Amino acid sequence: MSENTKRNIPLLPLRGLLVFPTMVLHLDVGREKSVQALEKSMMDNSEILLTSQIDLSVDEPDKKDLYQIGTLAKVKQMLKLPNGTIRVLVEGLERAEIITYLEEDEYFKVEMKLLFEDEKEHYSEELAIMRNVLGQFEQYVKISKKVSNETLQSVQDIAEPGRLADVIASHLPLKVAEKQNLLEIVNVRERLLHILDILNNEKEVLGLEQKIGQRVKKSMEKTQKEYYLREQMKAIQKELGDKEGKTGEVEELRTKIAEADMPENVEEKALKELGRYEKMPSTSAESSVIRNYIEWLVSLPWKEETTDRLDINHAQTILDEDHYGLDQVKERVLEYLAVQELTRSLKGPILCLAGPPGVGKTSLARSIARALERKFVRISLGGVRDEAEIRGHRRTYVGAMPGRIIQGMKKAGSANPVFLLDEIDKMASDFRGDPSSAMLEVLDPEQNNAFGDHFIEETYDLSKVMFVTTANNIGTIPDPLLDRMEIISIAGYTEIEKQGIAKEHLLPKQIKEHGLSKGKIQFKEDSILKLIRYYTREAGVRSLEREIATVCRKAAKMIVAGEKNRVIVTPNTLENMLGKPRFRYGKAEEEDQVGAATGLAYTTGGGNTLSIEVSLAKGKGELTLTGKLGDVMKESARAAFSYIRSKADELKIDPDFHEKLDIHIHVPEGATPKDGPSAGITMATALISALTGRKVKKEVGMTGEITLRGRVLPIGGLKEKAMSAHRAGLETILLPAENEKDIEDIPESVRKGLKFITVKHLDEVLKHALGEKDEDN
């Protein structure tokens, strides 16, 4: 290597730029060190070494930030611009490598050596590659359109392979690092092959770009065409006086679908149906069906929820404000709130409030919604006989619409309301299907997250809904449906509770509704008690409210007529307003009687006392049962009759009584249907009393099923029966031993006034229920 290949020279770092040998280029120089290097170069022989920066972001590069191989260049021209920067024209001469850095303070000065191309041993091979490169570059120019034909012609005139490679490299859109790679390849053959690879890649990329561009252009053209046609349609409709026509309607529906926050599959279905609607003529019958369907989809609350107020004390206050008593239900709601606060993910419970009419089941559900600060929606299932009422009709039918569940959700406008299904025990089935079977999916927390309505077709999530159902008689609800609900029994109110309800809720409400004030009407404590005892006989408080309303109306009439300025309601004035007492309060029987026993019955209206009478007459042993009795009750009477025949000797009854006497068992209130096994021991006691002549104690009430061997089996509804016994003024209740656990459910005020005796056999019943033999009989 000759000595003149090495020399000391100023260095100019380039940022984001690389100069190949034979390349002429304008540069703008602004950095202090670079300006100093240029000035030094101009003072010497106008030569300078150009090296690219490795990292473009570095403002003041160090020697480690620069590539080792650069280009020796000649500064052709230098011009100072008004903004302080210097514009220079440089021409690349040869490749050069930095040996060492001599100075780095004011400007970079380096020792470098020139790198010459190898001897031309494989010249013919290089020529072949060179022609190939030229051909590829020509094709590249045609596709690219970034390189002019003049440039292509100037490149085709180059005879030197090395120079050709450098000129083509300078015209390709390569990154600095890739250009640096080419600069560092000193071997001409290798450089040409590398350029060939790059040209092939670039051609492929450009081909793909063209394809993508054409595709985008086509879709753009299609969109523009559609837009143009829509605008034309709008103009035509406007001329015809069709306002915005169907196009505006479709756009409005599309916006609604986007805003409805539907699940992905539902949104897909809605848009598909919208596409069908758009193409369909307005006069088509199906057009309105599709529009109706889309409007239902967008109006349903798919994800919109209200935030629960999980404050137990606040909920307790609201429930106590709205309802007196009903502690068990309130406790269950507060438990739900507590668990929800801890987990934030509990599925909505399905509660069934079962109890007689007028005890506040429906209003309690409303209070639950108020306490939780949820939306409230109520549907009545009384008399629903068609399965489509629950699941909806298929869209193929004229006038099809969703079922009541989906309608209720739309009305609520929230995915987590309190949903009241009123009178669930009053559903019936006929040839149109069984609605109670359709309710099985609705009221199952494991299934109702994908409830299928025939009209909506897509599944709807009901798992966040808090379902509350009400029923008077759970006996008529099918077992699979009953199994899905948590039954909370609400018994009738006690006398004390009714007084509390009257004072806190009914009186203020009726006084306000009748335009009165506390100054104009006053109810004495004992007059409310008289109203409850002598003018109503019910489990709830509806009749009581009606009687209070009657008193308020009478008082309003007196005040308006000028008879009185202020009405004070006392027990005496009550009779003048409402007439004579309608019910007898006190002992169920005035005195001990033979052949008449008091039983306790459970009805849909709560508990009630049942007087059972037996009369004997000479005859042929005929057993007559009257009082509109059901089959089960008749069977209980026959079972009691058979037991007495088998134990005639022990009971000191004539063994042939069934051949000599006709027996008539009657249950008063003959117009009221009665059924059930729980009057078994009462009928047996009345029969034995009539046959033995022993009196039945008037203060004793009894309930229990009897077997042929005289065993006493458990019954239901003890709480309601005990309350009716208390109301009727009985003092002792005989009940099956297995029902002893149910005594705890009876309100304390009722328990205090009654004596409970548990019995296992009819012998024990007779011991407590029968007195001495009536000597007059």
Side-chain angles (χ1 to χ4, degrees), residues 12 68 145 169 187 207 247 259 274 280 300 405 415 435 440 522 534 574 591 619 632 635 718 734 742 776:
L12 177 66
Q68 287 298 101
K145 294 180 183 172
N187 186 295
T247 315
E259 289 169 358
L274 187 64
M280 205 167 278
L300 283 175
I405 302 296
L440 295 177
Q522 186 189 345
Y534 295 99
L574 203 61
E591 53 187 34
V632 178
E635 285 163 10
L718 182 67
L734 304 179
D742 301 323
D776 301 333

Side-chain angles (χ1 to χ4, degrees), residues 31-101:
R31 291 190 283 206
E32 189 59 39
K33 269 189 176 183
S34 301
V35 172
Q36 294 274 0
L38 268 172
E39 285 174 353
K40 183 76 177 96
S41 163
M42 294 302 283
M43 282 161 58
D44 295 344
N45 57 356
S46 300
E47 284 187 345
I48 194 163
L49 181 64
L50 305 175
T51 311
S52 297
Q53 273 182 223
I54 296 169
D55 186 357
L56 307 184
S57 59
V58 178
D59 282 331
E60 295 296 331
D62 201 352
K63 61 183 178 183
K64 66 176 184 301
D65 298 319
L66 301 172
Y67 287 110
Q68 287 298 101
I69 293 175
T71 306
L72 176 68
K74 191 164 190 72
V75 181
K76 294 268 191 184
Q77 195 180 7
M78 194 161 116
L79 180 71
K80 217 164 195 174
L81 297 174
N83 62 0
T85 58
I86 297 171
R87 180 162 289 174
V88 291
L89 181 70
V90 294
E91 180 189 2
L93 300 174
E94 294 288 346
R95 286 171 169 75
E97 185 180 1
I98 299 166
I99 299 170
T100 182
Y101 282 82

Side-chain angles (χ1 to χ4, degrees), residues 296-587:
W296 267 102
L297 286 183
V298 298
S299 62
L300 283 175
W302 294 97
K303 291 176 185 171
E304 195 177 321
E305 291 178 26
T306 52
T307 308
D308 287 350
R309 181 165 183 177
L310 303 173
D311 182 347
I312 288 185
N313 297 325
H314 167 76
Q316 178 87 57
T317 308
I318 283 184
L319 293 171
D320 288 343
E321 246 176 52
D322 292 354
H323 292 86
Y324 188 95
L326 304 180
D327 295 330
Q328 193 186 354
V329 198
K330 291 176 182 175
E331 184 65 24
R332 179 64 186 86
V333 174
L334 298 176
E335 283 168 10
Y336 167 73
L337 279 179
V339 176
Q340 189 75 312
E341 192 166 347
L342 293 173
T343 64
R344 304 273 171 175
S345 61
L346 191 68
K347 286 177 182 171
I350 292 160
L351 307 178
C352 177
L353 307 178
V359 292
K361 299 185 295 295
T362 305
S363 58
L364 187 67
R366 206 179 292 274
S367 296
I368 291 170
R370 197 159 80 89
L372 287 168
E373 291 190 357
R374 285 191 182 194
K375 298 284 179 68
F376 176 76
V377 63
R378 171 189 170 271
I379 63 168
S380 178
L381 298 173
V384 171
R385 308 174 74 85
D386 188 355
E387 181 242 356
E389 291 271 339
I390 308 299
R391 281 193 179 281
H393 304 82
R394 298 208 176 276
R395 283 193 287 150
T396 47
Y397 297 115
V398 176
M401 60 193 301
R404 292 196 185 194
I405 302 296
I406 293 292
Q407 286 179 38
M409 294 307 293
K410 178 190 174 185
K411 189 179 171 187
S414 148
N416 63 339
V418 172
F419 203 126
L420 175 65
L421 301 167
D422 223 353
E423 312 291 358
I424 199 165
D425 57 327
K426 309 291 190 305
M427 279 195 294
S429 61
D430 66 3
F431 65 91
R432 285 168 293 191
D434 183 0
S436 61
S437 300
M439 290 301 294
L440 295 177
E441 187 185 8
V442 177
L443 299 180
D444 189 341
E446 298 302 319
Q447 295 177 37
N448 66 9
N449 60 344
F451 171 67
D453 185 276
H454 290 152
F455 182 86
I456 299 298
E457 290 174 6
E458 298 297 326
T459 56
Y460 189 83
D461 186 1
L462 294 173
S463 61
K464 296 185 180 97
V465 179
M466 184 176 189
F467 283 104
V468 181
T469 66
T470 69
N472 296 135
N473 180 14
I474 58 173
T476 61
I477 302 173
D479 286 345
L481 191 56
L482 202 60
D483 182 54
R484 282 162 166 76
M485 301 186 287
E486 184 180 335
I487 309 294
I488 298 177
S489 293
I490 305 174
Y493 292 115
T494 62
E495 209 170 72
I496 295 164
E497 283 175 333
K498 282 185 182 178
Q499 277 181 280
I501 292 165
K503 278 196 290 187
E504 289 181 25
H505 299 280
L506 307 182
L507 279 172
K509 180 185 169 188
Q510 291 304 325
I511 287 169
K512 187 182 175 186
E513 280 185 11
H514 288 84
L516 301 166
S517 63
K518 285 184 181 177
K520 291 190 176 176
I521 187 166
Q522 186 189 345
F523 275 82
K524 294 284 184 188
E525 189 85 28
D526 45 1
S527 64
I528 296 171
L529 195 58
K530 187 172 181 180
L531 252 181
I532 294 164
R533 286 181 172 177
Y534 295 99
Y535 290 90
T536 63
R537 183 153 290 178
E538 56 173 350
V541 289
R542 282 210 185 105
S543 294
L544 179 60
E545 188 170 10
R546 278 194 290 273
E547 296 304 328
I548 290 170
T550 306
V551 173
C552 289
R553 281 199 306 277
K554 303 269 184 195
K557 186 191 167 194
M558 287 178 192
I559 291 164
V560 171
E563 293 174 32
K564 289 184 179 180
N565 289 329
R566 185 163 184 260
V567 177
I568 297 170
V569 183
T570 63
N572 294 332
T573 58
L574 203 61
E575 279 196 34
N576 297 333
M577 289 177 161
L578 299 175
K580 293 290 178 191
R582 291 182 206 130
F583 299 99
R584 182 167 57 84
Y585 180 83
K587 306 295 179 208

